[in-house]
Amino acid sequence: MRGRATIDDILTPILNRFQKETFAREDVSEKPPFRSELFSNEQMEQHAQHLAATHQLRAKDSPELLLKRLAENETILFEVTNLLHDAVRDKKAITPAGEWLLDNFYLIEDQIKIGKKYLPKGYSKALPRLNNGVSAGFPRVYDIAIQIISHSDGRVDMPGLSRFISAYQKVSHLTIGELWAIPIMLR
């Protein structure tokens, strides 16, 4: 190493943070975030109803966590991309996922810009926030987006999303602001 951080140097503190502050050890279960058991359409609808029944909303204000999380993720993505560029420059092999990231990083940058534009400071504070679970303090729609992504292996389509949201709202109604924010959260 030439005095530069490696991917492990960057990701290890993040993993430690998730294990110590955000997730209980049994929730992490050595799986990477955003990946969980894949559900069929019917299972996704059942899961949506289960979430709606178990989501408890906070009655009080809480600090802005969403934009902070976006900024942290943006920093990590830029650091990893720079490491990949260095590896390519040094003619080191990189994984197919690394190649994809380098080839498509502009798409990720666009989504970050969209998130910052349409979720300006203070907007997410107006969204109902969770009082319980691993997403406590975050807007409810943030957890909904994570659940959709993790149980669909990131393959989200409009019919499936519509079914999920409809099933959720059979138990607990979402605000118009939440419905508007769902596509941005998924990005």
Side-chain angles (χ1 to χ4, degrees):
M1 187 165 78
R2 301 167 298 165
R4 293 203 47 145
T6 66
I7 291 174
D8 282 344
D9 293 334
I10 294 168
L11 297 179
T12 298
I14 296 163
L15 178 62
N16 291 338
R17 177 176 168 249
F18 280 125
Q19 290 175 337
K20 292 180 182 170
E21 293 176 14
T22 308
F23 298 96
R25 186 76 186 149
E26 55 272 12
D27 292 331
V28 175
S29 184
E30 301 304 320
K31 292 179 189 174
F34 302 140
R35 207 160 248 208
S36 197
E37 179 182 356
L38 296 180
F39 287 162
S40 68
N41 289 335
E42 293 77 23
Q43 289 172 316
M44 286 293 277
E45 290 175 22
Q46 290 171 351
H47 186 57
Q49 291 179 346
H50 170 75
L51 279 177
T54 59
H55 276 165
Q56 297 172 8
L57 300 179
R58 284 191 175 185
K60 60 182 185 216
D61 268 353
S62 56
E64 170 68 69
L65 299 176
L66 194 59
L67 291 177
K68 181 181 176 195
R69 174 71 55 93
L70 180 61
E72 290 170 356
N73 290 342
E74 179 181 21
T75 299
I76 292 164
L77 285 166
F78 275 105
E79 289 174 358
V80 170
T81 302
N82 288 335
L83 288 172
L84 289 168
H85 279 294
D86 291 346
V88 169
R89 185 192 65 233
D90 295 341
K91 300 192 185 313
K92 294 180 181 175
I94 61 173
T95 64
E99 288 178 20
W100 183 94
L101 182 61
L102 288 176
D103 291 343
N104 296 286
F105 191 69
Y106 70 97
L107 297 171
I108 295 168
E109 286 180 301
D110 287 345
Q111 296 309 311
I112 291 169
K113 288 176 189 171
I114 288 170
K116 287 178 179 178
K117 180 179 179 180
Y118 292 108
L119 289 176
K121 189 172 183 156
Y123 179 80
S124 74
K125 286 189 88 155
L127 296 173
R129 296 170 178 273
L130 292 176
N131 194 43
N132 62 323
V134 296
S135 295
F138 282 92
R140 170 171 54 177
V141 290
Y142 175 78
D143 191 61
I144 289 170
I146 287 175
Q147 294 297 318
I148 291 168
I149 292 166
S150 66
H151 290 290
S152 68
D153 198 25
R155 294 182 176 99
V156 181
D157 59 26
M158 280 306 295
L161 177 60
S162 187
R163 280 193 304 273
F164 189 94
I165 298 304
S166 293
Y168 189 99
Q169 291 199 101
K170 287 179 182 175
V171 177
S172 179
H173 292 284
L174 298 169
T175 68
I176 202 77
E178 288 177 299
L179 293 170
W180 183 84
I182 288 172
I184 298 163
M185 295 291 171
L186 289 170
R187 288 182 171 135

